[in-house]
């Protein structure tokens, strides 16, 4: 007989009354994934029982009588409309009964599940839900038990870091042990077809876990978002018991310094960051927009500073990867994750094909790019020459600000070419590298610039060679005298004339260079001519490329040489263009120092700044406010000192290559002298606070708002503690343990499976790293 209050989980007619778990099982069945036989007592059953309990249960019992197998064991589980949501899971709030046998026992279990929807322990959740809590409806699943050898949960995406990897946790026997007191599951992490973490003792189940991980990734694609799935393995087959979106999952921002530490290394002062980051990123965004249309990216989306170090936002770059059809795995390879199997393939999506006309247009322009860009570079050089001959002393401070604005806009054009030209050079080099390999020559053994002396004009080493050789040609007494004199004293030494002439030419050509071309707070060579003299005297003459294969000595067939010649010529052309644009960029960008130094001298003379270099500890906008008279001088002086103090404190720390989230790791966490324990990170974030060891409910009263609670385990009765906690550390548990789920819902860091955590000294100052699973005790 057909009943609206009792239906098979595959019956689409009544699915609206199934509740979240029931709808998930219906979805699995619809997609032909293996699930246990399941009946659903729908919302209508609950409403019928609420109206008249005795009559309602009698009707339900009568309907179940012919649907249940007499000797079968069942799991009777809740399926509410509000549980297993992306925001709230109601972890452990509703009862479930397992190994239930017989009709009367099933009815009793259904009664218990329905009653649990009205329990006192629900109040914290209902308070969070507000008016929505009044909409709570309960269905009940009656599911045939799968006798599991092992069972557990799989997350198709890491819920803590957001990385594209499957996380699997398992226990022997029933999976509900994952939620029980003191149970720590076995854990696997599966990325790119291989395990990056796995237990040593469970090798016999590795093939099953691999199957589960791969199937979870497939289910994620079908589902349309990251999921966690409960599963059971009976020794023969894997059964899916539940599917749901990963609760409280957000796209955790990922930042990496793998690239940024090369182009913007070391400590970045506020003024440098406020000029360089928008300047360079504006140029990058121009390139992205030309390839993909408007991306709506902003300069600040691409780069952030953590403890005054530059990190690239890999999430924003990952979005560009996906638009262009590269899998996000490619992004994770940029992050430094190693892959033993083949590299992820180029996998264009339908969205990718929208961009093909632009990409092809860019490729077509690239072949003739040098013809147009040469004229543009000449105009750049003329503009820079004019800029560097201007008398800025005659300008007012407000006029200087206008000059800086103008210089910034000009440098966005230069920066764009300083990105595009090296990219095109790399493309041509890659093609030539492949062609040379066919001729049996490695690219590193090939002299690309043979017969191209213009390249040496942009190479300071070549000019230092000339200075060093000229120095060695001088009589020994003159050499000894030069070693004792500075640059200015050499002006009065006639015997050093030829050497000094080369030094002057060197300073004129390369005086804009410093130890970091992107940091104009660093003193350039033109301001330290004595250093240039020392470099020339101590210089080791550069090794030449005479032993390398040249185009003339290349042994290749006439046909291969004919194929290679156009690419060889373009690679040479763009190598020279790269040297030229690099020189233009560093020279022009370095002129920001001249402008800001002039402003600094005026502000220091007027008492607005205490020292000339203080300007580098303010942002561009803050400098503008001082010049325009709108800034609070005393507040900005305090800010300068704060930056100086913070930079000094962070000077010697070693930051991680990858930072998860938008918050900088606490400085104390990065110090090597902290007493650290490790566990499994299950809810992301950083938190520093006072440690409170809570061993039982008798300790609940000791917890104050913001404390880090350290617990042996938790279950539903511990939920009220989480509303006060700033972070959670547990001695046991896994990613699906009660403490982990509730911590994610409250948005607080959580680290579980931390051995000995409850032995930490109560009241200690502690830092919890919910990304890496570190627990650091700073002071007992």
């Amino acid at each position: 007989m057909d009943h609206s209050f009792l239906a098979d989980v595959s019956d689409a007619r009544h699915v609206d009354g199934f509740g979240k778990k029931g709808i998930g099982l219906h979805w699995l069945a619809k997609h032909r994934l293996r699930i246990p036989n399941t009946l659903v007592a729908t919302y209508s059953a609950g409403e019928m029982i609420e109206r008249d309990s005795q009559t309602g249960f009698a009707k339900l019992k009568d309907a179940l009588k012919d649907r249940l197998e007499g000797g079968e064991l069942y799991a009777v589980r809740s399926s509410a409309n509000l549980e297993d949501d992306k925001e709230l899971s109601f972890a452990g709030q509703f009862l479930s009964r397992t190994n239930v046998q017989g009709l009367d026992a099933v009815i009793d279990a259904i009664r218990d599940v329905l009653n649990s929807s009205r329990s006192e322990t629900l109040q914290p959740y209902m308070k969070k839900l507000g008016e929505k809590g009044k909409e709570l409806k309960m269905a009940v699943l009656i599911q045939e038990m799968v006798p599991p050898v092992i069972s557990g949960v799989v997350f198709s995406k890491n819920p803590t870091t957001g990385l594209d990897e499957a996380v699997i946790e398992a226990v022997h026997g029933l999976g509900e042990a994952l939620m029980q007191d003191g149970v720590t599951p076995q854990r696997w992490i599966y990325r790119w077809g291989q395990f990056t973490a796995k237990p040593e003792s469970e090798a016999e189940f590795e093939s099953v876990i691999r199957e589960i991980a791969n199937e979870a990734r497939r289910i994620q694609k079908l589902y349309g978002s990251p999921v966690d799935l409960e599963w059971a393995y009976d020794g023969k087959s894997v059964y899916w018991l539940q599917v749901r979106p990963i609760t409280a999952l957000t796209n955790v921002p990922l930042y990496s310094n793998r690239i940024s530490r090369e182009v913007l290394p070391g400590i970045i002062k506020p003024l440098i960051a406020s000029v360089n980051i928008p300047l360079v990123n504006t140029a990058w965004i121009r390139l992205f927009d030309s390839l993909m249309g408007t991306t709506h990216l902003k300069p600040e989306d691409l780069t952030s500073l953590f403890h005054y170090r530059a990190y690239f936002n890999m999430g924003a770059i990952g979005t560009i990867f996906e638009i262009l059809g590269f899998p996000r795995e490619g992004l994770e390879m940029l992050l430094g994750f190693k892959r033993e199997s083949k590299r992820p393939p180029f996998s264009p999506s339908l969205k990718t094909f929208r961009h093909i006309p632009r990409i092809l247009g860019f490729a077509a322009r690239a072949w003739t790019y040098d013809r147009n860009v040469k004229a543009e570079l000449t105009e750049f050089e003329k503009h820079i020459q004019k800029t560097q001959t201007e008398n800025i002393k005659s300008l007012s401070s407000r006029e200087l600000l206008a000059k800086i604005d103008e210089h910034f806009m000009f440098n966005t054009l230069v920066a764009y070419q300083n990105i595009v030209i090296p990219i095109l050079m790399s493309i041509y080099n890659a093609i030539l590298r492949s062609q040379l390999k066919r001729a049996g020559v490695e690219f590193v053994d090939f002299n690309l610039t043979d017969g191209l002396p213009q390249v040496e004009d942009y190479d300071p080493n070549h000019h230092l060679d000339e200075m060093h050789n000229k120095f060695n040609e001088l009589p020994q007494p003159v050499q000894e005298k030069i070693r004792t004199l500075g640059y200015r004293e050499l002006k009065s030494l006639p015997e050093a004339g030829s050497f000094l002439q080369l030094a002057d030419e060197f300073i004129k050509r390369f005086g804009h260079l410093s130890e970091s071309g992107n940091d104009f707070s660093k003193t350039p060579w033109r301001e330290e001519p004595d250093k240039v003299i020392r470099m020339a005297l101590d210089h080791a003459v550069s090794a030449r490329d005479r032993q390398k294969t040249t185009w003339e000595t290349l042994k290749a067939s006439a046909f291969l040489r004919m194929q290679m010649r156009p690419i060889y010529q373009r690679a040479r052309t763009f190598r020279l263009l790269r040297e030229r644009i690099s020189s233009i960029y560093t020279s022009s960008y370095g002129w920001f120092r001249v402008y800001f130094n002039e402003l600094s001298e005026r502000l220091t003379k007027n008492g607005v700044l205490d020292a000339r270099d203080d300007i580098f500890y303010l942002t561009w906008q803050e400098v503008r406010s001082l010049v325009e008279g709108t800034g609070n001088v005393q507040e900005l002086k305090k800010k300068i000192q704060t930056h100086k103090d913070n930079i000094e404190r962070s000077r010697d720390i070693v930051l991680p290559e990858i930072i998860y989230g938008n918050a900088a790791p606490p400085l104390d966490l990065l110090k090597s002298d902290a007493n650290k324990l490790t566990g499994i990170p299950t809810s992301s974030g950083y938190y520093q606070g006072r440690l409170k060891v809570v061993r039982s409910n008798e300790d609940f009263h000791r917890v104050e708002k913001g404390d880090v609670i350290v617990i042996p385990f938790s279950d539903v009765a511990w939920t009220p503690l989480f509303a006060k906690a700033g972070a959670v550390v547990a001695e046991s548990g896994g990613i699906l343990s009660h403490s982990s789920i509730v911590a994610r819902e409250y948005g607080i860091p959580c680290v579980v499976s931390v051995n000995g955590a409850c032995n930490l000294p109560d009241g200690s100052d502690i830092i919890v790293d919910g990304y890496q699973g570190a627990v650091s005790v700073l002071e007992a």
Side-chain angles (χ1 to χ4, degrees), residues 456-604:
E456 293 181 338
D457 291 343
Y458 298 101
D459 181 5
N461 279 321
H462 170 72
H463 294 268
L464 285 171
D465 286 349
E466 291 184 343
M467 289 176 66
H468 185 79
N469 290 335
K470 179 60 69 176
F471 172 77
N472 285 335
E473 291 173 4
L474 297 171
Q476 193 66 32
V478 176
Q479 290 186 24
E480 291 175 2
K481 187 172 285 190
I482 288 176
R483 288 189 181 280
T484 64
L485 300 176
Y487 172 80
R488 286 179 177 79
E489 290 86 352
L490 287 177
K491 297 280 188 181
S492 59
L493 186 67
E495 302 95 316
S498 58
F499 172 75
L500 192 58
Q501 183 181 352
L502 288 177
D504 288 338
E505 291 173 1
F506 182 91
I507 291 169
K508 183 178 179 181
R509 187 166 190 80
F510 299 106
H512 58 279
L513 297 179
S514 69
E515 63 184 75
S516 175
N518 281 304
D519 184 352
F520 56 80
S521 73
K522 303 293 185 184
T523 307
W525 290 349
R526 65 171 169 261
E527 294 179 26
E528 296 183 313
D530 289 352
K531 182 180 285 187
V532 172
I533 301 300
R534 297 278 80 74
M535 282 195 301
L537 301 190
D538 300 335
H539 181 66
V541 175
S542 310
R544 300 289 100 189
D545 289 338
R546 295 188 184 93
Q547 302 303 315
K548 290 187 174 184
T549 301
T550 66
W551 179 255
E552 301 302 326
T553 61
L554 178 67
K555 295 178 181 178
S557 67
F559 177 73
L560 182 56
R561 289 175 71 92
M562 182 180 69
Q563 281 187 313
M564 291 175 63
R565 183 178 289 277
I567 298 298
Y568 165 70
Q569 290 174 338
R570 306 213 62 68
R572 283 164 61 85
T573 296
F574 275 89
R575 170 62 187 277
L576 179 57
L577 287 173
R578 197 281 302 270
E579 299 299 334
R580 188 178 175 189
I581 187 59
S582 177
S583 176
I584 291 170
Y585 176 76
T586 53
S587 177
S588 182
Y589 177 80
W591 210 250
F592 279 112
R593 177 182 175 86
V594 175
Y595 287 133
F596 281 109
N597 272 348
E598 178 62 28
L599 282 176
S600 182
E601 284 183 9
R602 299 179 188 187
L603 292 170
T604 305

Side-chain angles (χ1 to χ4, degrees), residues 370-432:
D370 58 303
R371 298 175 194 171
N372 299 321
V373 82
K374 285 177 181 176
E376 187 172 2
L377 298 193
T378 299
E379 290 303 311
F380 287 168
E381 288 163 339
K382 290 179 181 177
H383 182 93
I384 294 168
Q385 188 175 15
K386 179 184 175 184
T387 297
Q388 295 180 353
T389 55
E390 288 175 340
N391 179 16
I392 61 173
K393 297 281 186 185
S394 64
L395 300 176
S396 70
S397 294
R398 286 178 181 265
E399 287 173 332
L400 265 177
L401 284 179
K403 277 290 179 186
I404 293 172
D405 291 338
E406 178 187 318
H407 195 60
F408 179 88
M409 295 308 298
F410 170 73
N411 274 274
T412 60
L413 304 178
V414 177
Y416 177 76
Q417 297 299 353
N418 197 41
I419 292 168
V420 174
I421 290 172
I423 287 174
L424 293 176
M425 183 195 75
S426 297
I427 292 170
Y428 287 124
N429 283 355
I431 299 171
L432 182 61

Side-chain angles (χ1 to χ4, degrees), residues 432-448:
L432 182 61
R433 182 183 294 110
S434 175
Q435 292 178 333
L436 284 169
K437 207 160 193 176
R438 288 165 57 194
V441 177
E442 294 294 330
F443 187 75
V444 294
D445 296 325
F446 183 73
N447 187 351
L448 180 64

